[in-house]
Amino acid sequence: MAELTRLTMAQALDGLSKKDFTAVELTEAHVGAMEAVRPLNAYITETPDQALEMARASDARRAKGEAGPMDGLPIAVKDLFCTKGVATTAASRILEGFVPPYESTVTANLWRDGAVMLGKVNLDEFAMGSANITSHHGEVVSPWSPGAPGSWSRRIVPGGSSGGSAAVVAARAALGATGTDTGGSIRQPAGYTGIVGIKPTYGRCSRWGVVAYASSLDQAGPMTRTVEDAAIMLRSMCGFDPKDSTSVDMAVPDFRAALTGDIRGLRVGIPREYRVDGMPAEIEALWSRGVEWLKAAGAEPVEISLPHTKYALAAYYIVAPAEASSNLARYDGVRFGRRVEGGSLNELYENTRGEGFGKEVQRRILIGTYVLSAGYYDAYYLKAQKVRTRIKQDFDEAFRSCDVILTPTAPSTPFAIGDNSDDPVQMYLNDVFTVPVNLAGLPGMSVPAGLGGDGLPLGLQLIGRPFDEETLLRVGQAIETAANFTATPPFMA
Amino acid sequence: MSYIQGETGDWEIVIGLEVHAQVISNAKLFSGAATDFGSEPNSQVSFVDAAFPGMLPVINAFCVEQAVRTGLGLKAEINLQSVFDRKNYFYADLPQGYQISQFQQPIVGKGEIVLDLPDGSSRTVGVTRLHLEQDAGKSLHDQHPSKTYIDLNRSGVALMEIVSEPDMRTSEEAGAYVRKLRSILRYLGTCDGNMEEGSMRCDVNVSVRRPGEPFGTRCEIKNVNSIRFVMQAIEYEARRQIEILEEGGKIDQETRLWDTTKFVTRSMRSKEEAHDYRYFPDPDLLPLELEPEWVEDIKRTLPELPDDKKARFIQDFKLSPYDAGVLVAEKARADYFETVAKGRDPKMAANWVTGDLFGALNKSGKDIEESPVTAENLGGLIDLIADNTISGRIAKEVFEAMFETGEKAADIVEKKGLRQVTDTGAIESSIDAVMAANADKVAEFRSGKDKLFGFFVGQVMKATQGKANPALVNEILTAKLKG
Amino acid sequence: MSLDKATVAKIAHLARIKVPDDELEDLAGDLSRILSFVEQLNEVDTKDVAPMTSVAAQKLRRRKDEVTDGGYRDAVLSNGPETAEGFYVVPKVVE
Ligand SMILES: [Mg+2]
Ligand SMILES: [Zn+2]
């Protein structure tokens, strides 16, 4: 049933409603695909029994005419979302054995709308990373790696932190997956694997039940193979949640209805400061092509300036670790997860956290602890929050002269596992185009736009006004249509 | 000013208090779990209170209202914008690894508390701030020889931390401060002030200095849980510091503990490490914004507070500041008094309430709420005195019976036949009988021995079992003895 | 800013993370590199700029004072590495 796993969500919904196949058949095909892509190391926990049970319930609902907007669609869940009764690890050793007695709001919304859970997918530990190489469960291999499992000539990273999500969607082992994006963790892996990823406006998706990395930046979003699928999945994921004080009480638009194909007259901002030194020519060229595509569709490119772009990464690498150092204090071996005993309570804490957290997580906790500590708060944290205001002001100013902003998703093409990993700062530079969006709380989206010279995917990023995901999706679809990205990874289920 | 005399001269104590007052609310500050006292361990704990992954705080509107109400009661500035910060530290009963508190922008700013001192005078102490924060859980160290047990029932319960200026100079003032603050909180209904159950806890900052010199280095005594202990801890700590200084030593700024069995303060080992709380605004919460009209609404519905009530009692009832102070210290007492005083002689009502009633309650260890004599019944007793049904002396006897049985004064008077004799004929015949039986004394009186008048009164009262109206006895006796 | 081993050890203790002595040197190097990277923020003029407190322009919502949660001790304790008699258990803490 390979062809069932090649469908888009929209096509699958169509097939289900026409009774071409059942949710159980669709799910069985995906359970097979999930097994087939095991060499990617993308799933941490497979839940085939639960998937089939959910699929049967979906078929029953459909038979009664009660099918929801995502009924019967098998998806993967980033292992950062708490799922009731199913192990949730955040790809960390410290959460070993943790089984949440509750369900995150976002996944609960998806199940409410009929989606089927295939399993929990890999990520960078606590979502800290840009290559999915910091997971306690091992690194994820991109299905775009040249060659085949067992004989890969280079093991390419899928991007991160939502690397497992990106890999399984690209490898056709799920119709879509949830991701989370703190500094680019949806958009960058989407770009690296040739799929669509949206980070909605901060406050659109509830953070309740999602393991926190950096609370003021974290946002959940969909990762899918088409813009239309992203619209379908986004609508189910978001919505007001009284359990999250930062959730926005605002109606959820029918995002799919926004896909009119008409972008005439839209002003597309091209930020001057995104032409960074050392950006490969092919990325520069792809960006220009993107501008041409939108122009051809009737949009009007305008040059804009985001003068503080250069400082976004530095601000991010203060704010995110600071919040993380506090958010991760609860992993102490007392109430859940892994405990490493010690003679005193402090020893227990230090042993548990010393063995439970991986190196990158430790680095970020330590940086965060340092920048908040007595005497340094003003110079680092407060300064970074002020720079953040500046960055937000840049965008406010820019959106006076444009309706949407177009940039490359990342300044580089996907690299091989092992590259960039000796210098943390070098690794951080991958997020240079995505981070400003999180700092300003704006919606951002990556759309596959072409292949680089090495045959690996490249994405373009769209940035929108707060709560204007509709424009983002509409323009995203215009790029999707023009780019006609039909390439598939060498390894698929 | 009262100084402490040391070996080398006078010393002055400087005291500031931080009081943690548990907010009266049904649910916790940031979670929907219950706040009841004394429940089974960990039975009132939500996943938020236990800091499970992905759990988020949502603030309780009523706790905010209670903090504002308290701020208004302390005549303090209400900050229309305040911010919740995380205070980061690791401790077994602090599940999040941080306490959500308010650091740079508290909900309530500067206010004041007027102390009523034992000599009837008053003194104003500044309140620096009041902020809202979460309580921690409870560590039990005595359940197991090598383990500490953790109960998170209190984790997340709303506290108001009320910080005073270092304005107090004696342990009495500190005691008066805690008493007055507790009284205000109870009037407002924002904290039950129950120190035994821990709903009010004091951290006491103590330093000493030579009179007129700048402040010395202070020590903080944590979690003192009764007014008596607050006063004792201050006395002990001041002596300890003076001794060190007089021997040429210096005070280390540190956190200390009041040892309730040895009556000493001692250094807290667990808190000895350098504090670095790494405060920063909690990114899970937005700044708290209050509408000025909403604050005004709360202000309009504030009850009359002890200071205003005291002023009114002095003004309207002509009570002494001391009596007024004693009556308003607890709202229940003040209410009781007002019921008794309504339509009666307030001075008499005050005497009965502060004298006989409080005495009897004290002796029997009862609160005013448990008084066997209701305010209405005490009023009834006073009415019987006022309309001459009984004499003041008989009234004492009636009161005792009322306190014992809870019955009405009139019923007791009827039952025991204590009604005062106002029939002049009956009194006259009693007097005649007494005079006849003591003819020698009558003669002595008439020859100038005035002092014997009291003797005759006593005899007449005895003959009438105390029921004769004393004024009538006086009047008739005077006339008859003149001859 | 360049961090020395002692400072890293101090921060590690503040964060309750055990770092073996022989790793302090490398870690100090990594952290120093990150700090010197973020210090470029000093170039930005932030005079009269308010620090960002929240990206979403909205007010803090307040919930009603109702008991809606808790009362599930077993679920709260179910993930506990060590529990007894309804309590979480840790090594004895000396006050
Ligand atoms: Mg304090
Ligand atoms: Zn406090």
Side-chain angles (χ1 to χ4, degrees):
Chain A
M1 282 232 180
E3 71 274 21
L4 286 184
T5 60
R6 305 293 157 98
L7 299 174
T8 66
M9 284 184 172
Q11 289 165 343
L13 284 172
D14 206 35
L16 286 165
S17 73
K18 287 193 187 134
K19 307 215 176 350
D20 292 347
F21 46 84
T22 64
V24 168
E25 286 165 338
L26 185 64
T27 299
E28 278 169 345
H30 280 90
V31 167
M34 178 162 67
E35 289 166 11
V37 300
R38 280 180 188 159
L40 299 178
N41 193 34
Y43 278 96
I44 291 176
T45 306
E46 298 179 358
T47 56
D49 296 342
Q50 186 167 336
L52 286 166
E53 195 181 309
M54 290 173 93
R56 277 189 289 273
S58 171
D59 283 331
R61 276 192 301 272
R62 197 171 289 281
K64 282 193 279 178
E66 293 166 2
M70 284 187 70
D71 230 303
L73 302 182
I75 59 166
V77 173
K78 187 177 184 178
D79 207 17
L80 202 62
F81 292 81
C82 290
T83 41
K84 189 172 182 169
V86 177
T88 299
T89 68
S92 181
R93 197 178 183 192
I94 211 160
L95 271 177
E96 223 168 57
F98 174 59
V99 180
Y102 48 88
E103 185 78 30
S104 83
T105 298
V106 163
T107 47
N109 289 348
L110 287 163
W111 317 143
R112 173 205 63 205
D113 282 0
V116 168
M117 179 167 89
L118 290 166
K120 306 289 293 285
V121 283
N122 211 339
L123 63 150
D124 279 301
E125 184 179 0
F126 280 104
M128 297 182 192
S130 310
N132 212 140
I133 55 175
T134 69
S135 168
H136 169 59
H137 300 276
E139 62 266 296
V140 175
V141 182
S142 171
W144 289 90
S145 303
S151 62
W152 278 314
S153 55
R154 292 168 76 219
R155 290 161 71 238
I156 302 294
V157 301
S161 66
S162 309
S165 305
V168 298
V169 173
R172 274 63 178 171
L175 290 181
T178 64
T180 63
D181 189 317
T182 305
S185 283
I186 287 175
R187 291 157 290 157
Q188 185 255 23
Y192 276 13
T193 56
I195 65 169
V196 176
I198 299 182
K199 180 204 94 75
T201 312
Y202 185 84
R204 266 277 193 224
C205 281
S206 168
R207 294 183 297 111
W208 194 88
V210 186
V211 174
Y213 161 20
S215 311
S216 75
L217 303 163
D218 295 345
Q219 222 8 235
M223 300 174 78
T224 58
R225 290 193 288 268
T226 67
V227 172
E228 186 179 23
D229 287 3
I232 292 169
M233 192 165 166
L234 178 62
R235 187 184 176 196
S236 289
M237 287 174 75
C238 59
F240 172 59
D241 182 5
K243 291 187 294 204
D244 174 358
S245 297
T246 61
S247 166
V248 176
D249 191 357
M250 206 182 231
V252 179
D254 180 355
F255 294 117
R256 211 172 165 182
L259 302 173
T260 57
D262 184 2
I263 61 161
R264 282 173 300 173
L266 266 184
R267 296 164 304 166
V268 180
I270 314 299
R272 184 183 309 146
E273 291 79 7
Y274 276 58
R275 294 181 202 286
V276 295
D277 291 343
M279 186 160 75
E282 59 184 5
I283 292 180
E284 184 99 40
L286 181 80
W287 189 11
S288 307
R289 223 175 303 145
V291 176
E292 290 312 314
W293 290 333
L294 295 181
K295 219 160 108 179
E300 176 203 338
V302 289
E303 190 175 82
I304 58 163
S305 175
L306 299 167
H308 295 89
T309 299
K310 172 174 177 213
Y311 301 105
L313 263 187
Y316 175 83
Y317 277 99
I318 291 171
V319 173
E323 293 182 5
S325 71
S326 178
N327 282 335
L328 270 60
R330 64 188 57 197
Y331 305 100
D332 60 6
V334 175
R335 297 165 317 285
F336 41 76
R338 186 177 158 82
R339 165 187 289 198
V340 182
E341 296 294 344
S344 67
L345 180 63
N346 268 335
E347 270 178 44
L348 181 150
Y349 287 153
E350 294 187 341
N351 293 342
T352 298
R353 294 163 61 80
E355 288 187 30
F357 292 135
K359 288 283 160 269
E360 180 61 22
V361 171
Q362 293 192 0
R363 262 199 295 266
R364 294 197 195 189
I365 291 175
L366 294 177
I367 283 288
T369 303
Y370 183 74
V371 299
L372 289 175
S373 66
Y376 298 101
Y377 176 85
D378 287 4
Y380 291 105
Y381 188 76
L382 197 65
K383 180 79 183 182
Q385 289 289 41
K386 287 178 177 175
V387 171
R388 209 174 155 184
T389 301
R390 280 266 191 244
I391 289 166
K392 173 86 164 71
Q393 287 167 347
D394 284 356
F395 279 110
D396 291 345
E397 183 61 32
F399 280 120
R400 289 196 219 201
S401 55
C402 69
D403 303 302
V404 67
I405 296 169
L406 179 73
T407 79
T409 302
S412 55
T413 54
F415 47 92
I417 294 171
D419 291 358
N420 289 344
S421 53
D422 45 344
D423 181 358
V425 173
Q426 207 50 44
M427 186 66 89
Y428 297 169
L429 293 173
N430 284 298
D431 301 330
V432 64
F433 293 158
T434 46
V435 151
V437 180
N438 299 78
L439 291 173
L442 303 173
M445 176 182 195
S446 179
V447 186
L451 294 179
D454 52 7
L456 299 177
L458 295 171
L460 285 174
Q461 174 178 237
L462 292 162
I463 304 168
R465 292 196 179 97
F467 302 102
D468 191 13
E469 286 84 359
E470 287 160 285
T471 299
L472 221 56
L473 286 159
R474 188 156 51 238
V475 179
Q477 199 178 44
I479 292 176
E480 182 180 55
T481 306
N484 190 27
F485 184 85
T486 53
T488 54
F491 176 59
M492 286 194 290
Chain B
M1 277 296 132
S2 49
Y3 298 139
I4 293 192
Q5 243 182 309
E7 298 278 313
T8 59
D10 283 348
W11 294 87
E12 186 178 40
I13 320 179
V14 176
I15 306 156
L17 288 165
E18 291 171 25
V19 173
H20 285 92
Q22 181 180 327
V23 175
I24 294 176
S25 65
N26 296 317
K28 294 182 179 178
L29 181 54
F30 293 113
S31 91
T35 57
D36 303 333
F37 178 80
S39 305
E40 287 290 295
N42 290 307
S43 62
Q44 294 179 167
V45 179
S46 72
F47 297 124
V48 177
D49 310 317
F52 270 55
M55 293 299 100
L56 297 171
V58 181
I59 198 164
N60 182 332
F62 186 62
C63 294
V64 174
E65 188 182 323
Q66 291 283 60
V68 169
R69 184 172 292 124
T70 306
L72 292 170
L74 299 175
K75 299 189 173 55
E77 304 155 14
I78 305 301
N79 293 326
L80 296 179
Q81 187 173 45
S82 65
V83 172
F84 287 97
D85 297 284
R86 293 185 183 178
K87 179 181 181 179
N88 295 281
Y89 64 97
F90 285 88
Y91 201 69
D93 52 26
L94 188 74
Q96 295 165 122
Y98 56 84
Q99 176 195 34
I100 306 180
S101 181
Q102 297 191 299
F103 184 46
Q104 282 180 337
Q105 291 175 260
I107 185 165
V108 175
K110 283 197 184 309
E112 62 179 47
I113 291 181
V114 177
L115 309 189
D116 304 296
L117 298 169
D119 63 1
S121 68
S122 26
R123 180 158 143 51
T124 302
V125 169
V127 168
T128 315
R129 58 185 281 160
L130 174 156
H131 66 251
L132 272 172
E133 63 183 24
Q134 301 176 295
D135 203 351
K138 213 170 145 192
S139 296
L140 293 95
H141 305 300
D142 49 7
Q143 308 282 303
H144 188 283
S146 61
K147 306 277 187 186
T148 289
Y149 283 23
I150 310 295
D151 172 14
L152 298 180
N153 278 348
R154 297 190 77 108
S155 167
V157 167
L159 300 178
M160 297 178 283
E161 181 174 332
I162 302 158
V163 182
S164 85
E165 296 287 331
D167 282 353
M168 286 157 279
R169 296 293 176 267
T170 64
S171 59
E172 287 77 28
E173 287 180 0
Y177 175 91
V178 179
R179 226 173 287 123
K180 186 58 174 285
L181 175 58
R182 184 174 62 183
S183 165
I184 294 171
L185 297 173
R186 285 176 169 166
Y187 265 77
L188 293 166
T190 57
C191 170
D192 67 22
N194 190 332
M195 295 184 81
E196 296 85 65
E197 289 180 2
S199 41
M200 214 172 125
R201 277 119 65 189
C202 297
D203 298 344
V204 191
N205 286 295
V206 179
S207 64
V208 297
R209 64 172 174 185
R210 296 288 190 189
E213 301 259 295
F215 289 154
T217 304
R218 65 188 163 87
C219 289
E220 183 176 16
I221 312 161
K222 281 266 178 214
N223 272 336
V224 191
N225 64 2
S226 83
I227 292 175
R228 194 162 50 93
F229 288 156
V230 166
M231 295 171 65
Q232 288 172 344
I234 291 169
E235 292 291 336
Y236 176 88
E237 180 61 18
R239 292 272 172 205
R240 186 187 73 87
Q241 292 184 14
I242 290 169
E243 211 167 287
I244 293 173
L245 292 171
E246 292 197 323
E247 280 166 11
K250 72 186 240 313
I251 307 300
D252 293 325
Q253 183 164 348
E254 61 175 352
T255 304
R256 300 179 67 86
L257 200 70
W258 173 245
D259 187 321
T260 54
T261 53
K262 299 192 184 107
F263 297 99
V264 298
T265 64
R266 59 177 167 85
S267 192
M268 257 178 109
R269 272 202 283 158
S270 59
K271 300 264 178 178
E272 231 171 317
E273 282 183 40
H275 300 238
D276 192 339
Y277 292 128
R278 289 159 284 136
Y279 280 102
F280 74 107
D282 191 331
D284 288 331
L285 295 162
L286 304 160
L288 174 63
E289 285 173 47
L290 308 178
E291 305 293 332
E293 308 82 55
W294 182 76
V295 175
E296 278 308 310
D297 282 349
I298 297 174
K299 199 173 198 168
R300 263 194 296 278
T301 60
L302 281 190
E304 184 184 36
L305 291 172
D307 290 339
D308 291 335
K309 208 182 272 289
K310 182 178 171 186
R312 180 166 62 81
F313 282 9
I314 294 170
Q315 171 79 34
D316 292 3
F317 297 141
K318 308 289 179 249
L319 300 187
S320 70
Y322 180 82
D323 278 354
V326 168
L327 286 170
V328 304
E330 279 179 40
K331 187 166 180 296
R333 291 179 176 193
D335 290 348
Y336 188 105
F337 164 72
E338 286 211 78
T339 308
V340 176
K342 195 168 179 205
R344 302 189 177 97
D345 173 17
K347 190 67 206 161
M348 198 166 172
N351 285 341
W352 274 97
V353 173
T354 59
D356 302 82
L357 178 73
F358 287 179
L361 288 172
N362 219 348
K363 224 159 82 191
S364 61
K366 286 191 166 88
D367 282 338
I368 195 148
E369 289 89 344
E370 311 161 306
S371 171
V373 180
T374 64
E376 287 74 16
N377 287 356
L378 183 56
L381 177 66
I382 291 170
D383 291 342
L384 294 182
I385 302 168
D387 69 7
N388 287 325
T389 306
I390 54 172
S391 69
R393 230 193 57 179
I394 290 291
K396 304 270 179 194
E397 191 186 326
V398 174
F399 177 81
E400 268 170 42
M402 289 169 77
F403 200 84
E404 222 157 85
T405 62
E407 286 175 57
K408 286 186 177 157
D411 295 347
I412 292 169
V413 167
E414 264 341 292
K415 210 162 30 179
K416 295 198 175 179
L418 297 174
R419 186 173 277 277
Q420 179 164 252
V421 178
T422 49
D423 170 354
T424 42
I427 293 175
E428 262 179 64
S429 54
S430 273
I431 290 175
D432 290 343
V434 167
M435 284 173 70
N438 296 283
D440 50 337
K441 294 245 166 48
V442 173
E444 277 180 52
F445 180 85
R446 285 182 176 156
S447 67
K449 212 166 175 190
D450 290 0
K451 277 185 186 150
L452 279 172
F453 189 75
F455 165 79
F456 291 109
V457 173
Q459 290 300 306
V460 175
M461 293 311 278
K462 198 171 155 191
T464 58
Q465 289 140 332
K467 288 183 283 185
N469 180 308
L472 282 176
V473 170
N474 270 350
E475 192 188 311
I476 300 168
L477 197 56
T478 306
K480 285 200 184 248
L481 280 173
K482 266 185 193 159
Chain C
M1 177 68 80
S2 171
L3 298 185
D4 56 21
K5 275 167 62 174
T7 308
V8 175
K10 211 185 92 196
I11 306 167
H13 178 61
L14 206 49
R16 297 295 185 275
I17 294 175
K18 184 176 185 172
V19 179
D21 281 346
D22 59 353
E23 289 175 22
L24 283 174
E25 191 80 63
D26 275 2
L27 195 51
D30 283 350
L31 299 183
S32 299
R33 231 169 314 154
I34 297 169
L35 286 175
S36 34
F37 171 71
V38 300
E39 271 156 20
Q40 57 176 299
L41 289 190
N42 294 331
E43 298 165 15
V44 186
D45 178 9
T46 50
K47 209 163 118 308
D48 303 324
V49 178
M52 183 167 281
T53 45
S54 88
V55 285
Q58 57 164 340
K59 286 194 179 161
L60 184 65
R61 276 188 315 275
R62 300 173 222 164
R63 47 167 246 278
K64 275 200 199 141
D65 181 31
E66 288 167 352
V67 176
T68 55
D69 208 348
Y72 41 65
R73 176 161 87 182
D74 292 349
V76 160
L77 295 177
S78 64
N79 277 284
E82 187 179 356
T83 59
E85 298 159 53
F87 295 96
Y88 292 111
V89 177
V90 297
K92 191 154 197 113
V93 178
V94 185
E95 283 202 320

